[in-house]
Amino acid sequence: MKKLINSVDSVVTDALRGIAAAHPSLRVDIENKVVFRADAPRQGKVGLVSGGGSGHEPLHGGFVGYGMLDAACPGEIFTSPVPDQLIEATKGVDGGAGVLHIVKNYTGDVLNFEMAAELSGDEGVEVATVLVNDDVAVQDSLYTAGRRGTGATLFVEKIAGALAETGAPLAEVARVAREVNERSRSFGVALTPCTVPAAGKPTFELGDTEIELGIGIHGEPGRTRAPMREAREIVRTAMDAIDADLPLSGETLVMVNGMGGTPLIELYIVFAEVEAYLREKGATAVRSLVGNYVTSLDMQGFSVTTCSLTGELTRLWDAPVETPALRWGR
């Protein structure tokens, strides 16, 4: 294993020190492992909190800032944040208008966010929760009851975050966040496994000529393994799965996401095939992201996430955002 780390025990803490040094727009509580907007809490504004295991960067800490999250809680690598972290984050962003928890559907995340919401409520903080479960690949997996939460998490954080900046009430921010999740679908493909530093070896084995269709962001098994093939054919498999679950049509927000180890040139090849597929279906990619946004350490592969847009959702997507990993309009 070759990793740019100091020790396997300090990976998350050392990364948080780097985030704090690189981004003065953030306030990083290294002891409690919480990344805040430097100006949090904002009085009268709904606070947005998300989090999950580390190893998916820039999700979630890279999306803290104006127009997105007010705080993010990184757990250890591929491990849910603990309730104490989530409570600190929730209290730290409460400006009197309540707090929205954006939770990817993994059992540990769900249970710990539930506990944090209950305990925060006991202390007088109004909390609403939105569960993200956009992955069409499998119904249940190693970490999940039901569908996994993957790329749509970014869409929910951006669009709900934009609405929160307008001063909208908690119930309305939660409603829009749920609508984004309901309109979004994802499918992932792995060309290689990833290596967790503490394990020191790949999370699973994949033959030199094999790919995993429907991979999870922690290396969970997908639908099936298949021989390596042209990008066009791989993309069609992914898009067929998405289209079968929620038929593609109309104006669409599309993210082609790298899993951490995929060259950008390959991601653009994938996007070209995704865009061509959408046109075949009568859909149009009117907004797009291509790059590493929801990763799995050093895994090679990609995921595709689509969201069927409305006029309101498009306006909120286009609204200004300023975070380490996503910024426009300011």
Side-chain angles (χ1 to χ4, degrees), residues 83 86-87 90 101 111-123 125-129:
L86 301 169
I87 292 168
T90 302
H101 285 176
L111 292 175
N112 289 348
F113 268 98
E114 280 181 356
M115 185 178 298
E118 182 178 339
L119 293 173
S120 297
D122 291 343
E123 297 187 29
V125 181
E126 183 182 5
V127 178
T129 299

PDB file of all heavy atoms in Angstrom, residues 83 86-87 90 101 111-123 125-129:
ATOM      1  N   PRO A  83     -23.123  10.200  17.132  1.00  0.00           N
ATOM      2  CA  PRO A  83     -24.147  11.183  17.510  1.00  0.00           C
ATOM      3  C   PRO A  83     -23.583  12.453  18.135  1.00  0.00           C
ATOM      4  O   PRO A  83     -24.095  13.545  17.872  1.00  0.00           O
ATOM      5  CB  PRO A  83     -25.024  10.401  18.492  1.00  0.00           C
ATOM      6  CG  PRO A  83     -24.901   8.981  18.051  1.00  0.00           C
ATOM      7  CD  PRO A  83     -23.485   8.835  17.599  1.00  0.00           C
ATOM      8  N   LEU A  86     -22.692  14.918  15.503  1.00  0.00           N
ATOM      9  CA  LEU A  86     -23.879  15.448  14.834  1.00  0.00           C
ATOM     10  C   LEU A  86     -24.619  16.446  15.717  1.00  0.00           C
ATOM     11  O   LEU A  86     -25.162  17.438  15.223  1.00  0.00           O
ATOM     12  CB  LEU A  86     -24.791  14.297  14.433  1.00  0.00           C
ATOM     13  CG  LEU A  86     -24.152  13.262  13.491  1.00  0.00           C
ATOM     14  CD1 LEU A  86     -25.032  12.033  13.355  1.00  0.00           C
ATOM     15  CD2 LEU A  86     -23.894  13.875  12.112  1.00  0.00           C
ATOM     16  N   ILE A  87     -24.626  16.200  17.020  1.00  0.00           N
ATOM     17  CA  ILE A  87     -25.260  17.143  17.953  1.00  0.00           C
ATOM     18  C   ILE A  87     -24.484  18.452  17.984  1.00  0.00           C
ATOM     19  O   ILE A  87     -25.068  19.549  17.951  1.00  0.00           O
ATOM     20  CB  ILE A  87     -25.356  16.518  19.355  1.00  0.00           C
ATOM     21  CG1 ILE A  87     -26.347  15.344  19.339  1.00  0.00           C
ATOM     22  CG2 ILE A  87     -25.783  17.559  20.384  1.00  0.00           C
ATOM     23  CD1 ILE A  87     -26.292  14.481  20.579  1.00  0.00           C
ATOM     24  N   THR A  90     -25.310  20.295  14.830  1.00  0.00           N
ATOM     25  CA  THR A  90     -26.685  20.787  14.822  1.00  0.00           C
ATOM     26  C   THR A  90     -26.826  22.023  15.691  1.00  0.00           C
ATOM     27  O   THR A  90     -27.406  23.035  15.271  1.00  0.00           O
ATOM     28  CB  THR A  90     -27.634  19.668  15.296  1.00  0.00           C
ATOM     29  OG1 THR A  90     -27.493  18.527  14.435  1.00  0.00           O
ATOM     30  CG2 THR A  90     -29.078  20.140  15.274  1.00  0.00           C
ATOM     31  N   HIS A 101     -31.315  17.918   8.535  1.00  0.00           N
ATOM     32  CA  HIS A 101     -30.325  16.849   8.412  1.00  0.00           C
ATOM     33  C   HIS A 101     -30.491  16.174   7.058  1.00  0.00           C
ATOM     34  O   HIS A 101     -31.583  15.699   6.735  1.00  0.00           O
ATOM     35  CB  HIS A 101     -30.507  15.803   9.516  1.00  0.00           C
ATOM     36  CG  HIS A 101     -30.021  16.241  10.852  1.00  0.00           C
ATOM     37  ND1 HIS A 101     -30.176  15.469  11.994  1.00  0.00           N
ATOM     38  CD2 HIS A 101     -29.362  17.361  11.247  1.00  0.00           C
ATOM     39  CE1 HIS A 101     -29.649  16.103  13.020  1.00  0.00           C
ATOM     40  NE2 HIS A 101     -29.156  17.240  12.601  1.00  0.00           N
ATOM     41  N   LEU A 111     -29.223   5.675  11.882  1.00  0.00           N
ATOM     42  CA  LEU A 111     -29.402   5.512  13.327  1.00  0.00           C
ATOM     43  C   LEU A 111     -28.759   6.658  14.102  1.00  0.00           C
ATOM     44  O   LEU A 111     -29.342   7.201  15.047  1.00  0.00           O
ATOM     45  CB  LEU A 111     -28.810   4.180  13.782  1.00  0.00           C
ATOM     46  CG  LEU A 111     -29.533   2.924  13.294  1.00  0.00           C
ATOM     47  CD1 LEU A 111     -28.762   1.674  13.711  1.00  0.00           C
ATOM     48  CD2 LEU A 111     -30.960   2.869  13.836  1.00  0.00           C
ATOM     49  N   ASN A 112     -27.552   7.061  13.707  1.00  0.00           N
ATOM     50  CA  ASN A 112     -26.854   8.112  14.450  1.00  0.00           C
ATOM     51  C   ASN A 112     -27.483   9.479  14.234  1.00  0.00           C
ATOM     52  O   ASN A 112     -27.563  10.290  15.169  1.00  0.00           O
ATOM     53  CB  ASN A 112     -25.373   8.111  14.084  1.00  0.00           C
ATOM     54  CG  ASN A 112     -24.647   6.898  14.643  1.00  0.00           C
ATOM     55  OD1 ASN A 112     -25.174   6.175  15.469  1.00  0.00           O
ATOM     56  ND2 ASN A 112     -23.436   6.670  14.184  1.00  0.00           N
ATOM     57  N   PHE A 113     -27.932   9.758  13.012  1.00  0.00           N
ATOM     58  CA  PHE A 113     -28.641  11.014  12.785  1.00  0.00           C
ATOM     59  C   PHE A 113     -29.972  11.034  13.540  1.00  0.00           C
ATOM     60  O   PHE A 113     -30.378  12.086  14.060  1.00  0.00           O
ATOM     61  CB  PHE A 113     -28.870  11.232  11.288  1.00  0.00           C
ATOM     62  CG  PHE A 113     -27.794  12.017  10.593  1.00  0.00           C
ATOM     63  CD1 PHE A 113     -26.797  11.366   9.888  1.00  0.00           C
ATOM     64  CD2 PHE A 113     -27.787  13.400  10.631  1.00  0.00           C
ATOM     65  CE1 PHE A 113     -25.800  12.087   9.230  1.00  0.00           C
ATOM     66  CE2 PHE A 113     -26.801  14.132   9.985  1.00  0.00           C
ATOM     67  CZ  PHE A 113     -25.799  13.472   9.279  1.00  0.00           C
ATOM     68  N   GLU A 114     -30.668   9.907  13.589  1.00  0.00           N
ATOM     69  CA  GLU A 114     -31.928   9.851  14.338  1.00  0.00           C
ATOM     70  C   GLU A 114     -31.704  10.181  15.809  1.00  0.00           C
ATOM     71  O   GLU A 114     -32.447  10.959  16.414  1.00  0.00           O
ATOM     72  CB  GLU A 114     -32.554   8.460  14.213  1.00  0.00           C
ATOM     73  CG  GLU A 114     -33.297   8.219  12.925  1.00  0.00           C
ATOM     74  CD  GLU A 114     -33.917   6.829  12.868  1.00  0.00           C
ATOM     75  OE1 GLU A 114     -33.696   6.032  13.817  1.00  0.00           O
ATOM     76  OE2 GLU A 114     -34.607   6.523  11.879  1.00  0.00           O
ATOM     77  N   MET A 115     -30.674   9.598  16.380  1.00  0.00           N
ATOM     78  CA  MET A 115     -30.374   9.855  17.792  1.00  0.00           C
ATOM     79  C   MET A 115     -30.010  11.323  18.003  1.00  0.00           C
ATOM     80  O   MET A 115     -30.465  11.964  18.966  1.00  0.00           O
ATOM     81  CB  MET A 115     -29.234   8.955  18.262  1.00  0.00           C
ATOM     82  CG  MET A 115     -28.937   9.056  19.743  1.00  0.00           C
ATOM     83  SD  MET A 115     -27.605   7.933  20.248  1.00  0.00           S
ATOM     84  CE  MET A 115     -28.349   6.355  19.839  1.00  0.00           C
ATOM     85  N   ALA A 116     -29.201  11.860  17.102  1.00  0.00           N
ATOM     86  CA  ALA A 116     -28.799  13.261  17.231  1.00  0.00           C
ATOM     87  C   ALA A 116     -29.989  14.201  17.100  1.00  0.00           C
ATOM     88  O   ALA A 116     -30.089  15.203  17.817  1.00  0.00           O
ATOM     89  CB  ALA A 116     -27.743  13.595  16.180  1.00  0.00           C
ATOM     90  N   ALA A 117     -30.897  13.900  16.182  1.00  0.00           N
ATOM     91  CA  ALA A 117     -32.086  14.742  16.006  1.00  0.00           C
ATOM     92  C   ALA A 117     -32.949  14.723  17.262  1.00  0.00           C
ATOM     93  O   ALA A 117     -33.452  15.768  17.715  1.00  0.00           O
ATOM     94  CB  ALA A 117     -32.890  14.267  14.801  1.00  0.00           C
ATOM     95  N   GLU A 118     -33.109  13.544  17.840  1.00  0.00           N
ATOM     96  CA  GLU A 118     -33.929  13.424  19.047  1.00  0.00           C
ATOM     97  C   GLU A 118     -33.312  14.192  20.211  1.00  0.00           C
ATOM     98  O   GLU A 118     -34.002  14.946  20.911  1.00  0.00           O
ATOM     99  CB  GLU A 118     -34.093  11.948  19.409  1.00  0.00           C
ATOM    100  CG  GLU A 118     -34.972  11.708  20.615  1.00  0.00           C
ATOM    101  CD  GLU A 118     -35.160  10.230  20.910  1.00  0.00           C
ATOM    102  OE1 GLU A 118     -34.962   9.403  20.002  1.00  0.00           O
ATOM    103  OE2 GLU A 118     -35.511   9.911  22.069  1.00  0.00           O
ATOM    104  N   LEU A 119     -32.003  14.028  20.413  1.00  0.00           N
ATOM    105  CA  LEU A 119     -31.346  14.698  21.528  1.00  0.00           C
ATOM    106  C   LEU A 119     -31.271  16.204  21.301  1.00  0.00           C
ATOM    107  O   LEU A 119     -31.392  16.988  22.254  1.00  0.00           O
ATOM    108  CB  LEU A 119     -29.951  14.115  21.734  1.00  0.00           C
ATOM    109  CG  LEU A 119     -29.929  12.650  22.209  1.00  0.00           C
ATOM    110  CD1 LEU A 119     -28.513  12.097  22.218  1.00  0.00           C
ATOM    111  CD2 LEU A 119     -30.564  12.526  23.592  1.00  0.00           C
ATOM    112  N   SER A 120     -31.091  16.624  20.057  1.00  0.00           N
ATOM    113  CA  SER A 120     -31.087  18.060  19.762  1.00  0.00           C
ATOM    114  C   SER A 120     -32.473  18.651  19.996  1.00  0.00           C
ATOM    115  O   SER A 120     -32.598  19.782  20.492  1.00  0.00           O
ATOM    116  CB  SER A 120     -30.647  18.306  18.317  1.00  0.00           C
ATOM    117  OG  SER A 120     -29.319  17.872  18.104  1.00  0.00           O
ATOM    118  N   GLY A 121     -33.504  17.887  19.636  1.00  0.00           N
ATOM    119  CA  GLY A 121     -34.858  18.335  19.893  1.00  0.00           C
ATOM    120  C   GLY A 121     -35.127  18.523  21.370  1.00  0.00           C
ATOM    121  O   GLY A 121     -35.818  19.468  21.773  1.00  0.00           O
ATOM    122  N   ASP A 122     -34.565  17.644  22.184  1.00  0.00           N
ATOM    123  CA  ASP A 122     -34.713  17.775  23.637  1.00  0.00           C
ATOM    124  C   ASP A 122     -34.095  19.070  24.149  1.00  0.00           C
ATOM    125  O   ASP A 122     -34.482  19.569  25.214  1.00  0.00           O
ATOM    126  CB  ASP A 122     -34.062  16.584  24.346  1.00  0.00           C
ATOM    127  CG  ASP A 122     -34.810  15.276  24.118  1.00  0.00           C
ATOM    128  OD1 ASP A 122     -35.992  15.342  23.688  1.00  0.00           O
ATOM    129  OD2 ASP A 122     -34.223  14.207  24.349  1.00  0.00           O
ATOM    130  N   GLU A 123     -33.128  19.598  23.395  1.00  0.00           N
ATOM    131  CA  GLU A 123     -32.469  20.844  23.789  1.00  0.00           C
ATOM    132  C   GLU A 123     -33.077  22.056  23.087  1.00  0.00           C
ATOM    133  O   GLU A 123     -32.521  23.153  23.118  1.00  0.00           O
ATOM    134  CB  GLU A 123     -30.976  20.767  23.491  1.00  0.00           C
ATOM    135  CG  GLU A 123     -30.255  19.686  24.287  1.00  0.00           C
ATOM    136  CD  GLU A 123     -28.748  19.743  24.112  1.00  0.00           C
ATOM    137  OE1 GLU A 123     -28.216  20.849  23.870  1.00  0.00           O
ATOM    138  OE2 GLU A 123     -28.093  18.684  24.235  1.00  0.00           O
ATOM    139  N   VAL A 125     -33.916  22.447  19.725  1.00  0.00           N
ATOM    140  CA  VAL A 125     -33.618  22.686  18.312  1.00  0.00           C
ATOM    141  C   VAL A 125     -34.602  21.893  17.454  1.00  0.00           C
ATOM    142  O   VAL A 125     -34.706  20.672  17.602  1.00  0.00           O
ATOM    143  CB  VAL A 125     -32.173  22.272  17.959  1.00  0.00           C
ATOM    144  CG1 VAL A 125     -31.892  22.556  16.483  1.00  0.00           C
ATOM    145  CG2 VAL A 125     -31.169  22.997  18.843  1.00  0.00           C
ATOM    146  N   GLU A 126     -35.302  22.577  16.567  1.00  0.00           N
ATOM    147  CA  GLU A 126     -36.216  21.892  15.652  1.00  0.00           C
ATOM    148  C   GLU A 126     -35.406  21.270  14.517  1.00  0.00           C
ATOM    149  O   GLU A 126     -34.657  21.967  13.826  1.00  0.00           O
ATOM    150  CB  GLU A 126     -37.248  22.860  15.091  1.00  0.00           C
ATOM    151  CG  GLU A 126     -38.279  22.178  14.192  1.00  0.00           C
ATOM    152  CD  GLU A 126     -39.281  23.157  13.594  1.00  0.00           C
ATOM    153  OE1 GLU A 126     -39.124  24.377  13.795  1.00  0.00           O
ATOM    154  OE2 GLU A 126     -40.205  22.682  12.897  1.00  0.00           O
ATOM    155  N   VAL A 127     -35.569  19.968  14.316  1.00  0.00           N
ATOM    156  CA  VAL A 127     -34.799  19.258  13.310  1.00  0.00           C
ATOM    157  C   VAL A 127     -35.744  18.522  12.363  1.00  0.00           C
ATOM    158  O   VAL A 127     -36.665  17.831  12.803  1.00  0.00           O
ATOM    159  CB  VAL A 127     -33.821  18.248  13.948  1.00  0.00           C
ATOM    160  CG1 VAL A 127     -33.059  17.476  12.857  1.00  0.00           C
ATOM    161  CG2 VAL A 127     -32.844  18.957  14.870  1.00  0.00           C
ATOM    162  N   ALA A 128     -35.518  18.676  11.080  1.00  0.00           N
ATOM    163  CA  ALA A 128     -36.181  17.869  10.054  1.00  0.00           C
ATOM    164  C   ALA A 128     -35.111  17.032   9.363  1.00  0.00           C
ATOM    165  O   ALA A 128     -33.940  17.417   9.304  1.00  0.00           O
ATOM    166  CB  ALA A 128     -36.902  18.748   9.046  1.00  0.00           C
ATOM    167  N   THR A 129     -35.520  15.861   8.839  1.00  0.00           N
ATOM    168  CA  THR A 129     -34.565  14.946   8.218  1.00  0.00           C
ATOM    169  C   THR A 129     -35.026  14.571   6.821  1.00  0.00           C
ATOM    170  O   THR A 129     -36.204  14.303   6.597  1.00  0.00           O
ATOM    171  CB  THR A 129     -34.419  13.665   9.066  1.00  0.00           C
ATOM    172  OG1 THR A 129     -33.940  14.016  10.365  1.00  0.00           O
ATOM    173  CG2 THR A 129     -33.439  12.689   8.420  1.00  0.00           C
TER     174      THR A 129
END
